Amino acid sequence: MMSEDIKMITYPQVLQELKSTDQCSHLLLGNGFNNSLGICTNYRNIFEKMVEEDFIYKTVKSTIETIDYDIEKLIGSLKECINTDSSFNSFLKSYVENKVKFDFMKSACLIVRDKIKGIYQDRNEKIYLLFKNFTTYLTLNYDTFLYLILMKFKRNRVLAFQNSSLFQSRDLDEIENRIYAEIKGALENGQITTQVNNETLNTCLNKLPKTTFESIIKNYNKQNNKQWKSKDIRRICNRIWEEKNNKPILEINDGFQDELFNNNYSQNVFFLHGSFHLYKDKTIIKKITQKQNEAVYERLEEIINTNEEEIICVFTNKSEDKMKQIQDNQYLSKCFDKLSNLSGNLVILGASLDENDRHIFSAVNNSNVCRLYISSSVSSKCEFSRRASQFFPSKEITLFDYRTISYN
């Protein structure tokens, strides 16, 4: 098929078509989604971060370049260099594997941590305009970015943001979260206490105009020596006012009650290949939360180096091996079952449609999804059209230009 014969539409057209149906719409994300927002968590970028953190990895740079930065293959090569003739060498193999895995996960977490503040604070805070069009969120990525960004826009999000945050509060925005919680709490209680001419005043907040509300908060800040900055107060008051006036808020459920997986039917966020913040403690599925008062990479090291806990992460490059790991894990099999039982429309954003994810695409093809919308670049539309036809022969397929996606 000639390139000019392959039709591509824009993302606004995708949304228009989704809204014209009475069917549910779901979103499946690949690594291209992260990249589009400046969160570069592909293998190459993660390895370069590993080199930054520990210069020893520079010695294997030429090796990993020849295997397309595949960390699993690198681990295999390193283990092959160690003889298995002694119990010490057996220990050394295990140590090398755990060390490289930990450094890989830590580096991915650091990339997300370093970039996510900008996602929260700049124009992309409106990212809910992308997500609000969907009822189910699925991802092929195992880094922590999707989890954090979705929790940012969850209903009652201050509770989710504080209790479910993966990083120590200093890694996000401790001051902003603390101010937000206190001001929002006062608004929900309906009043705030201030002093005027040595008299205690209980001011009703619910019916005040926005400018008066902000002035009262500034006065409260001054009288109680909170030392909040005016720009922080202004930004948070704006944020609270938008929420108060029915700003869209996502209905998000990752299947966990605090840190424990409860396998409920209302779950709508699914990490198809696991994630660095999810782990198995004997037979119980848990997630790393801020309640543990550790950065995620500190907790990762503890989990990786214990025999009783295991990070839930499909860390292999072959589709059949991924499928075996999925079938052997309660959380992953639940996610895969959800994928297989989808109906309606599915938007695939930022996925490369590679052979190593054939198990995912087969499940979609065997599901009741009727129409697929798949992101592509204009230059890659011929190849994407070919791959999509191979993976989804029973589906209606529409390609859309990823450059037309707007987060405003």
Side-chain angles (χ1 to χ4, degrees):
M1 185 180 289
M2 299 292 290
S3 175
E4 52 268 23
D5 295 332
I6 299 174
K7 179 186 175 185
M8 287 188 78
I9 64 176
T10 65
Y11 185 69
Q13 288 174 312
V14 172
L15 295 183
Q16 217 169 24
E17 292 190 12
L18 293 180
K19 289 174 183 176
S20 67
T21 73
D22 57 358
Q23 297 176 313
C24 292
S25 297
H26 316 283
L27 181 64
L28 172 61
L29 297 174
N31 198 53
F33 167 69
N34 288 17
N35 291 337
S36 71
L37 289 170
I39 309 291
C40 298
T41 50
N42 56 50
Y43 276 166
R44 179 169 185 165
N45 285 92
I46 294 173
F47 179 77
E48 289 173 353
K49 189 69 174 178
M50 290 167 69
V51 173
E52 284 181 29
E53 294 297 307
D54 190 338
F55 198 70
I56 191 67
Y57 285 105
K58 195 166 182 66
T59 62
V60 295
K61 193 174 192 311
S62 59
T63 301
I64 201 167
E65 284 174 347
T66 64
I67 54 176
D68 201 23
Y69 293 88
D70 189 319
I71 298 294
E72 277 289 301
K73 288 183 180 178
L74 175 65
I75 292 172
S77 297
L78 293 172
K79 289 170 69 176
E80 285 175 6
C81 294
I82 304 170
N83 293 325
T84 56
D85 297 337
S86 68
S87 58
F88 175 78
N89 285 342
S90 178
F91 161 79
L92 194 57
K93 278 190 173 187
S94 177
Y95 175 81
V96 167
E97 180 174 2
N98 288 347
K99 176 71 166 67
V100 178
K101 279 186 176 180
F102 167 67
D103 289 344
F104 174 80
M105 293 180 186
K106 177 182 177 182
S107 294
C109 292
L110 288 173
I111 290 171
V112 173
R113 185 201 68 177
D114 292 344
K115 296 290 185 180
I116 202 165
K117 280 187 181 180
I119 301 298
Y120 285 162
Q121 294 172 2
D122 70 6
R123 67 183 178 85
N124 291 321
E125 186 166 358
K126 303 273 186 193
I127 200 172
Y128 65 79
L129 290 175
L130 170 69
F131 288 118
K132 76 183 182 71
N133 300 290
F134 305 97
T135 57
T136 309
Y137 312 91
L138 309 107
T139 181
L140 300 172
N141 305 327
Y142 35 59
D143 59 76
T144 53
F145 175 58
L146 175 65
Y147 175 70
L148 287 176
I149 203 71
L150 283 177
M151 289 302 104
K152 182 73 172 179
F153 300 113
K154 180 181 176 182
R155 186 173 299 280
N156 299 324
R157 63 185 179 180
V158 64
L159 296 177
F161 198 37
Q162 289 180 335
N163 293 341
S164 300
S165 172
L166 301 181
F167 301 109
Q168 294 179 31
S169 52
R170 62 178 174 80
D171 287 338
L172 294 172
D173 196 335
E174 180 179 5
I175 296 173
E176 181 176 343
N177 283 323
R178 191 170 64 244
I179 298 172
Y180 174 89
E182 192 163 341
I183 295 177
K184 186 71 183 291
L187 186 63
E188 289 173 349
N189 290 333
Q191 62 182 22
I192 196 167
T193 302
T194 54
Q195 295 284 330
V196 177
N197 297 326
N198 294 323
E199 291 187 22
T200 300
L201 297 180
N202 293 315
T203 306
C204 181
L205 300 175
N206 292 324
K207 297 182 180 180
L208 292 177
K210 180 181 171 185
T211 52
T212 307
F213 174 73
E214 188 175 319
S215 296
I216 288 174
I217 296 302
K218 287 181 177 177
N219 188 37
Y220 171 80
N221 169 53
K222 183 178 180 180
Q223 290 183 359
N224 291 277
N225 196 31
K226 297 289 183 179
Q227 298 183 348
W228 299 340
K229 293 180 180 178
S230 294
K231 65 177 182 178
D232 291 331
I233 294 174
R234 188 180 309 111
R235 183 170 65 250
I236 293 162
C237 285
N238 287 338
R239 176 176 156 188
I240 289 172
W241 221 253
E242 286 175 345
E243 291 176 355
K244 187 182 175 193
N245 289 285
N246 298 317
K247 173 182 174 181
I249 299 175
L250 299 176
E251 297 287 353
I252 298 299
N253 187 324
D254 65 354
F256 288 82
Q257 184 66 41
D258 291 325
E259 72 268 18
L260 295 178
F261 182 60
N262 56 14
N263 204 16
N264 63 59
Y265 290 102
S266 58
Q267 180 183 352
N268 67 345
V269 179
F270 300 89
F271 292 87
L272 298 172
H273 289 152
S275 180
F276 297 156
H277 72 292
L278 306 178
Y279 66 102
K280 184 178 180 181
D281 183 356
K282 296 179 182 176
T283 60
I284 302 172
I285 308 298
K286 298 181 179 180
K287 73 176 178 182
I288 300 171
T289 70
Q290 186 187 328
K291 284 183 177 180
Q292 289 148 327
N293 199 32
E294 294 176 292
V296 65
Y297 37 84
E298 293 173 351
R299 186 71 183 95
L300 276 173
E301 186 170 27
E302 295 175 2
I303 293 170
I304 288 172
N305 288 303
T306 179
N307 292 326
E308 295 185 341
E309 297 176 330
E310 177 186 4
I311 297 295
I312 299 175
C313 181
V314 180
F315 204 55
T316 182
N317 203 36
K318 292 182 180 179
S319 180
E320 57 269 27
D321 292 340
K322 288 181 178 181
M323 196 60 226
K324 185 178 186 309
Q325 290 184 40
I326 288 170
Q327 292 170 337
D328 290 343
N329 183 275
Q330 174 196 0
Y331 172 83
L332 295 176
S333 58
K334 162 86 185 277
C335 293
F336 192 78
D337 288 345
K338 178 65 178 181
L339 181 71
S340 303
N341 290 298
L342 290 179
S343 60
N345 306 294
L346 177 64
V347 174
I348 301 179
L349 174 56
S352 56
L353 301 188
D354 285 334
E355 182 65 30
N356 60 5
D357 287 323
R358 174 175 285 277
H359 58 293
I360 297 294
F361 305 139
S362 294
V364 171
N365 190 59
N366 294 328
S367 73
N368 290 323
V369 167
C370 57
R371 180 153 217 161
L372 295 174
Y373 296 88
I374 303 174
S375 70
S376 171
S377 65
V378 174
S379 61
S380 300
K381 67 179 183 178
C382 288
E383 179 62 17
F384 265 65
S385 178
R386 182 187 67 79
R387 293 186 189 184
S389 297
Q390 288 182 340
F391 284 126
F392 312 110
S394 66
K395 306 300 178 187
E396 294 181 51
I397 298 168
T398 300
L399 298 183
F400 67 94
D401 186 349
Y402 79 92
R403 294 174 304 177
T404 63
I405 298 173
S406 172
Y407 302 110
N408 289 322

